[in-house]
Amino acid sequence: MKKLILATTALVALGFMPAQAVFAQDNTLVVGTDVDAGTLDPRLTRDTTASRTADLIYAGLVHITPSLEAVPDLAESWENPDPQTFIFKLRPNLTFSDGSPLTADDVAFTYTTLTNPDFNAPARALYSPITAVEAIDPLTVKFTLNAPYAPLLSYLDVGIVPKKLVEGGTDIALHPVGAGPMKLVSWNRGSEIVLEANDAYWRGAPTMDNVTIRIIGDNSARSQAFEAGDLDVIQSPLAPQDIERLAADDRFGHVIMAGLGVNYINFNTKDPLLADPKMRQAFSMLIDQETIVNDIYQGVDQVAHSIILPSSWAYSDTIKQPTLNTEGAVALFNELGWTDSNGDGILDKDGADLAVTLATHSEDANRVQTIEFMQAMFEAAGVKATAQITDWPSFSTNYVQQSKHQIALLGWLNIVDPDRLMFAQLTTGGSTNWGGYSNPEVDALLQEGRSTLDQAGRAAAYQKAATILAQDLPYYIISAQGYQMFYAKDLPVEVQATPRGNLRGLIGFTD
């Protein structure tokens, strides 16, 4: 541990206290992250920092283990008397961090608001099969579904919020009160989030007394801060050169594994230029995945071939999206009427040049370099390409989520089930369908994938959908992400990493 209390340090320097006693005085974990949380209301999280912080402040009915198994958290047990009913029994004597009781009413309130279209929760589509959540008694909650829903348990780790406080006007986005292992002390926007142990958590207080989540946007600067001892833990996203250097340094512990995320291109299918799937195919054929993954990301990620992660039980290596083929792309543009009529090297049609904007956010140097490389590849094929690089809040909230983009480079994380990457994002009118894609056949297959309880049947539905998506290309999946975490070896806990990047395995709770 690197954080010292000045008064204690002075005592050590004067010889009045042994040096090894310093760390026991200040049992703080400092974690470096790339972006600030957008909200600390667990129902509204959109970014990794928000979801990972909320996972410490709040607790859900279940907890998702590193092996992606749903295990009891606030719920001590559950039963599934029929395919459309789940009944959860809460642990007795649960309380929020302010001492108020947590009951079935709070659970029902959390999910009723989460599924209310007017609340506009980003993940609402994950819970759309839920038709009712009822508090049967203070310790019993009943979920009623409109159809069997295979991935439900994987999504029930959302934090339970206090009904009375929220209805009383407390803004839990800024002043969160949960029943998780930590509670908020302070939040200096753009700088750090400070948490302290919640003694009222049902598992007891964590080993770590405090957690500070420090925002350092630049990946290499974050790695340097870790090496300097200013941080105890850093994790993806990290610059490839930093990963290689840190992994070879025996001063640090590290975990490198397959992740649960993708880097992908989001095509705005509502944009007139990109409405035709053949145009999206042509642009996709200008994306050099091998160079991006092996040179820019230096092999940290894995070249993707479809929208289904290679680690998923639904994966099939027979599904193939387009690969690099510059000549084929130009030929397809020509077929669609885009030719170099002026002999100036720029494709044009009806007097207008073929021009497109490529966008990403400034905090991730690898994504910036990828967009700049794509810009050069596009221009070499006769496309006028503009790179638009802005900060994460502007890029995500004010640009992509408003469907103002043409071609945007993004990532999805926490893909615990194929449904998590496909349903809300690619069904007609989905809550995170920022590219406006619509295909009734895909809609039906994705609905089948979530309502079929047999895993083989689910896999077949997702593979059929992925085959169509590899041609329609609302998304072009560049890579399946790897996950990396580096940590100080003197942490007073048994470190347990999860490909989701959540932090409970760093504060004293292992699964």
Side-chain angles (χ1 to χ4, degrees):
M1 302 298 294
K2 321 297 192 304
K3 274 48 66 182
L4 306 180
I5 300 173
L6 291 179
T8 305
T9 305
L11 289 173
V12 172
L14 292 170
F16 295 121
M17 184 181 292
Q20 62 267 27
V22 171
F23 305 118
Q25 296 295 318
D26 185 26
N27 199 15
T28 298
L29 180 77
V30 181
V31 181
T33 192
D34 55 337
V35 297
D36 196 3
T39 176
L40 292 179
D41 184 334
R43 302 166 298 171
L44 294 173
T45 58
R46 293 180 183 271
D47 57 84
T48 55
T49 302
S51 62
R52 290 166 182 171
T53 306
D55 184 60
L56 294 178
I57 295 174
Y58 299 88
L61 289 173
V62 305
H63 169 65
I64 306 299
T65 70
S67 60
L68 307 185
E69 179 187 5
V71 298
D73 197 353
L74 297 181
E76 65 178 5
S77 64
W78 56 84
E79 58 180 328
N80 188 200
D82 62 69
Q84 293 174 227
T85 305
F86 280 81
I87 298 174
F88 292 85
K89 182 66 71 173
L90 299 181
R91 299 178 188 279
N93 304 315
L94 292 171
T95 65
F96 291 103
S97 60
D98 66 351
S100 61
L102 187 157
T103 71
D105 284 336
D106 299 296
V107 178
F109 175 77
T110 298
Y111 283 97
T112 299
T113 53
L114 188 61
T115 56
N116 183 347
D118 293 337
F119 189 67
N120 199 29
R124 179 173 60 86
L126 300 181
Y127 307 95
S128 59
I130 299 172
T131 56
V133 184
E134 306 166 77
I136 304 302
D137 61 47
L139 295 181
T140 309
V141 186
K142 178 182 177 183
F143 283 68
T144 302
L145 312 178
N146 59 18
Y149 187 36
L152 178 65
L153 286 175
S154 296
Y155 301 153
L156 294 185
D157 62 330
V158 64
I160 302 304
V161 303
K163 177 182 179 181
K164 288 184 179 179
L165 278 183
V166 175
E167 289 187 332
T170 297
D171 184 358
I172 61 170
L174 298 175
H175 306 287
V177 176
M182 309 297 295
K183 55 186 178 181
L184 182 69
V185 174
S186 63
W187 184 5
N188 184 1
R189 297 304 295 262
S191 178
E192 64 180 21
I193 303 169
V194 179
L195 310 174
E196 67 180 7
N198 173 24
D199 295 340
Y201 182 46
W202 71 267
R203 292 180 70 176
T207 302
M208 305 306 301
D209 295 329
N210 304 281
V211 174
T212 296
I213 298 171
R214 191 161 293 159
I215 295 92
I216 302 175
D218 182 83
N219 293 340
S220 289
R222 196 162 60 258
S223 295
Q224 291 164 9
F226 172 71
E227 289 178 284
D230 296 327
L231 304 172
D232 294 312
V233 176
I234 55 173
Q235 57 183 334
S236 306
L238 297 169
Q241 63 273 17
D242 294 329
I243 294 170
E244 183 177 2
R245 185 181 70 259
L246 292 172
D249 194 328
D250 61 11
R251 293 178 299 161
F252 310 123
H254 70 270
V255 175
I256 296 177
M257 64 174 72
L260 296 175
V262 296
N263 291 311
Y264 76 102
I265 292 296
N266 186 311
F267 288 105
N268 188 344
T269 67
K270 295 298 186 183
D271 186 281
L273 180 66
L274 302 170
D276 189 332
K278 288 187 176 181
M279 285 296 288
R280 302 195 293 271
Q281 291 170 17
F283 281 120
S284 297
M285 292 160 68
L286 297 177
I287 298 174
D288 185 351
Q289 288 174 281
E290 296 288 343
T291 297
I292 293 169
V293 171
N294 295 320
D295 292 347
I296 296 177
Y297 282 86
Q298 297 181 22
V300 169
D301 290 354
Q302 179 181 346
V303 170
H305 303 290
S306 80
I307 197 168
I308 302 176
L309 285 174
S311 58
S312 172
W313 44 263
Y315 180 73
S316 170
D317 61 8
T318 63
I319 304 170
K320 305 289 186 183
Q321 61 186 11
T323 55
L324 178 66
N325 184 351
T326 303
E327 291 183 0
V330 173
L332 191 50
F333 283 135
N334 293 165
E335 177 186 325
L336 295 168
W338 296 95
T339 62
D340 183 9
S341 64
N342 301 319
D344 59 1
I346 302 296
L347 300 176
D348 61 87
K349 179 180 179 180
D350 300 329
D353 291 337
L354 178 55
V356 71
T357 298
L358 309 174
T360 196
H361 61 100
S362 58
E363 288 83 355
D364 191 326
N366 295 329
R367 289 184 182 171
V368 172
Q369 190 175 352
T370 297
I371 283 294
E372 291 172 344
F373 174 63
M374 286 176 55
Q375 180 185 24
M377 293 290 291
F378 280 32
E379 290 178 342
V383 179
K384 279 188 175 180
T386 300
Q388 179 174 302
I389 313 296
T390 54
D391 63 89
W392 172 254
S394 299
F395 169 70
S396 61
T397 305
N398 301 326
Y399 189 60
V400 175
Q401 292 173 22
Q402 300 297 320
S403 300
K404 296 178 180 179
H405 65 292
Q406 286 188 299
I407 298 176
L409 173 59
L410 296 138
W412 277 114
L413 295 173
N414 199 23
I415 304 169
V416 297
D417 188 278
D419 178 85
R420 189 77 183 237
L421 179 59
M422 302 168 77
F423 192 87
Q425 295 90 328
L426 295 171
T427 52
T428 303
S431 58
T432 51
N433 187 351
W434 302 316
Y437 176 68
S438 178
N439 183 321
E441 186 177 2
V442 171
D443 290 349
L445 286 167
L446 296 183
Q447 182 61 51
E448 180 183 346
R450 60 170 24 191
S451 58
T452 300
L453 298 182
D454 172 63
Q455 192 174 90
R458 297 190 71 207
Y462 288 124
Q463 289 168 9
K464 289 177 183 177
T467 300
I468 297 169
L469 294 169
Q471 295 299 312
D472 279 3
L473 293 169
Y475 283 7
Y476 184 83
I477 312 298
I478 294 178
S479 64
Q481 293 183 12
Y483 170 75
Q484 307 84 32
M485 181 179 74
F486 296 91
Y487 58 91
K489 284 187 174 179
D490 61 358
L491 297 181
V493 294
E494 176 188 347
V495 172
Q496 183 183 62
T498 169
R500 304 173 81 207
N502 286 3
L503 303 172
R504 290 195 189 188
L506 294 165
I507 63 172
F509 293 120
T510 56
D511 299 303

